[in-house]
Amino acid sequence: MNVNQLIDELPSVDSYRRYGKINRVVGLLIESKGPSASVGDVCLIHIKSGRKKIMAEVVGFKDENILLMPYTSVAQISPGCLVEATDKPLEVKVNEELIGQVCDSLGRPVSGMTFTKPVDSVATNQEPPDPMKRPRISEPIELGIRSINGLLTVGKGQRIGIFAGSGVGKSTLMGMIARNTSADLNVIALIGERGREVKEFLEKDLGQEGVKRSIVIVATSDQPALMRIKGALVATSIAEYFRAKGKNVLLMMDSLTRVAMSQREIGLAVGEPPTTKGYPPSVFALLPKLLERTGTNAFGTITAFYTVLVDGDDLDEPISDTARGILDGHIVLDRALAQKGQYPAVNLLKSVSRVMNEICSPDHLKAALKFRSVLSQYSESEDLINIGAYKQGSSAAIDEAIHFQPKVLAYLRQSEKLNVNLQDAVNQLIHDFGQEMTSNGI
């Protein structure tokens, strides 16, 4: 744009700054008389005691007042504080220098790193890609985990839920995927995590090599609900930025449940009625809008993994049920399997990849079906076998399941540091389960 064009646009530039005044604070919510602003816009609250400004977002209206929710605590806010409108929603600054950095909920590197190259400003609230312009998923992605590569094959651009209770190994599983994936880069959002677990995940689960190819967004459990939601939106926006540049991005979010809980806090604070188990309607509006932003588009792909906390291992609670209906598959981590020493504790019979049939060879699918069949048969007969009530020869199907059980366990178990590529996982599956068992059990 040249100087003459800038001069021509000067008459249309809005040079006014609009202010309002705070008249009420109730819990997490701030009521302000003015300024003129739209839902989703960022406002700056001027603290009387100094030059500090607190960022807040417009979340609703009540009579002639606007309702704000701050990105930090409300501790220093007092009646009469000025509220300045910015007339724009939250944006995050992104370029390739962000790779290898740990950032806060607003996408700012916690190391204090400053950009040395030009940056792009990306809006955190964006629309999902046009469904008619989404390419179909046609190619598998490497994850480095034998049981997932072979039996729950994930495609580039697929969205998967990891459903697990607390302490079943989902952070370890995420770290293994992040270290071993063939994606161009990882974007990892830690939403609502304990402060102690953040560094533990970075150093133990992700490791130095994993950090170098990742952008990590951290919003710990002590931060306001709005900051936790913004962490999820910022991570998704960063992934979308690199997808638009033709990259194959791996997005991992731990956890989707805490994003939903954060939206519940906001919804109840602004007066929404609680519906299903205390969750207001805005929660069930937010989830599909957030999840549909990932996947494929005309430029690249975002393969997404979302962890979902299941209270008491109940897979039918509202958030789990909603997420399972939106996502392209789910991986269930079973506490009973973890207690038996099977890691990763993937319950194959409760897990499914909805695009596996589209991206795998017929031999691969046949062997995977055989694996599921013998695993299911053994699970149904396990009690009889363990107490010695089953006699060999009574059932050919049970005999076959017993024959294959050592190979089944060997295939499902994998040490944390081991990387099993997709081709090796498929070859082993076809070799061990692709042939029919003969009458003599060989």
Side-chain angles (χ1 to χ4, degrees):
M1 184 178 292
N2 58 39
V3 175
N4 291 330
Q5 287 177 305
L6 289 172
I7 292 173
D8 292 339
E9 289 191 9
L10 279 176
S12 63
V13 173
D14 186 356
S15 59
Y16 289 95
R17 289 188 178 182
R18 293 174 174 82
Y19 293 92
K21 280 190 176 182
I22 290 175
N23 56 19
R24 191 180 183 207
V25 176
V26 180
L28 304 174
L29 210 60
I30 301 168
E31 285 190 24
S32 170
K33 183 76 172 178
S36 176
S38 303
V39 172
D41 282 358
V42 174
C43 291
L44 302 176
I45 300 173
H46 296 250
I47 302 301
K48 290 182 177 180
S49 58
R51 297 181 179 179
K52 183 179 177 182
K53 298 178 183 178
I54 292 177
M55 294 175 67
E57 185 171 306
V58 180
V59 294
F61 302 94
K62 184 178 181 182
D63 299 328
E64 296 181 359
N65 293 338
I66 67 170
L67 304 178
L68 299 159
M69 194 159 282
Y71 289 158
T72 56
S73 70
V74 297
Q76 294 178 293
I77 297 173
S78 58
C81 284
L82 287 179
V83 180
E84 179 185 347
T86 64
D87 295 324
K88 61 181 182 180
L90 181 67
E91 294 181 340
V92 58
K93 291 181 170 55
V94 193
N95 70 13
E96 299 218 351
E97 293 177 287
L98 214 55
I99 299 173
Q101 295 292 321
V102 179
C103 305
D104 66 10
S105 304
L106 305 182
R108 301 172 299 198
V110 298
S111 65
M113 182 271 292
T114 56
F115 294 102
T116 60
K117 298 177 182 177
V119 297
D120 295 305
S121 292
V122 181
T124 56
N125 290 312
Q126 300 191 53
E127 292 299 317
D130 185 341
M132 299 305 295
K133 296 180 181 178
R134 281 184 185 262
R136 292 179 61 183
I137 298 169
S138 58
E139 186 181 350
I141 187 171
E142 173 65 68
L143 299 175
I145 299 173
R146 181 168 45 227
S147 56
I148 299 177
N149 277 343
L151 302 165
L152 299 165
T153 311
V154 176
K156 290 180 180 177
Q158 187 173 353
R159 302 158 306 155
I160 291 281
I162 300 176
F163 292 75
S166 56
V168 188
K170 60 183 180 300
S171 294
T172 302
L173 183 66
M174 286 177 59
M176 291 174 69
I177 292 172
R179 292 194 308 271
N180 301 329
T181 181
S182 60
D184 297 320
L185 75 150
N186 307 316
V187 179
I188 302 171
L190 304 178
I191 309 299
E193 286 289 313
R194 304 175 188 90
R196 174 190 62 81
E197 293 179 333
V198 173
K199 201 164 186 181
E200 183 177 310
F201 175 80
L202 293 172
E203 296 180 355
K204 176 180 173 289
D205 297 321
L206 193 56
Q208 190 174 0
E209 290 303 314
V211 170
K212 285 181 181 178
R213 59 198 300 261
S214 304
I215 301 170
V216 183
I217 309 296
V218 176
T220 51
S221 58
D222 61 296
Q223 295 185 8
L226 191 59
M227 284 291 271
R228 282 175 264 147
I229 291 179
K230 287 303 170 186
L233 296 175
V234 164
T236 305
S237 296
I238 291 172
E240 288 172 324
Y241 171 83
F242 286 102
R243 177 179 63 183
K245 291 188 172 294
K247 303 284 189 184
N248 293 314
V249 184
L250 181 70
L251 171 67
M252 290 192 286
M253 190 175 295
D254 184 16
S255 72
L256 189 65
T257 305
R258 293 193 181 109
V259 175
M261 288 178 173
S262 301
Q263 181 60 40
R264 178 171 64 181
E265 286 184 41
I266 294 173
L268 295 176
V270 299
E272 281 190 79
T275 52
T276 311
K277 287 196 175 180
Y279 287 99
S282 62
V283 172
F284 302 101
L286 171 69
L287 291 180
K289 199 163 187 179
L290 176 65
L291 301 180
E292 286 291 344
R293 287 172 61 180
T294 55
T296 61
N297 73 357
F299 306 103
T301 65
I302 301 174
T303 306
F305 285 85
Y306 300 93
T307 68
V308 181
L309 296 171
V310 284
D311 295 333
D313 296 329
D314 177 17
L315 294 173
D316 295 321
E317 61 93 28
I319 302 304
S320 300
D321 198 44
T322 302
R324 195 166 57 245
I326 299 168
L327 296 170
D328 305 320
H330 50 274
I331 297 170
V332 177
L333 301 184
D334 195 318
R335 191 178 305 278
L337 295 177
Q339 290 169 349
K340 291 179 181 179
Q342 178 184 312
Y343 289 100
V346 176
N347 187 324
L348 182 66
L349 301 178
K350 292 183 179 180
S351 306
V352 67
S353 170
R354 292 180 179 170
V355 304
M356 184 174 175
N357 290 346
E358 304 293 326
I359 59 177
C360 296
S361 68
D363 288 344
H364 181 182
L365 292 173
K366 180 182 176 182
L369 183 62
K370 180 72 171 180
F371 189 105
R372 282 180 176 269
S373 175
V374 297
L375 178 59
S376 176
Q377 184 64 62
Y378 189 90
S379 298
E380 290 174 4
S381 312
E382 188 171 10
D383 291 340
L384 289 175
I385 296 167
N386 288 340
I387 65 174
Y390 174 74
K391 292 183 180 180
Q392 187 173 1
S394 301
S395 167
I398 298 177
D399 287 344
E400 185 180 41
I402 294 171
H403 168 77
F404 278 111
Q405 184 62 12
K407 291 182 179 180
V408 167
L409 292 177
Y411 195 88
L412 292 175
R413 286 173 174 159
Q414 180 178 335
S415 69
E416 183 182 345
K417 301 300 180 184
L418 184 62
N419 177 5
V420 181
N421 66 50
L422 177 63
Q423 193 57 54
D424 288 345
V426 173
N427 289 343
Q428 183 180 344
L429 184 68
I430 294 174
H431 177 270
D432 290 347
F433 299 91
Q435 304 296 326
E436 294 294 334
M437 191 176 76
T438 61
S439 58
N440 60 3
I442 300 174

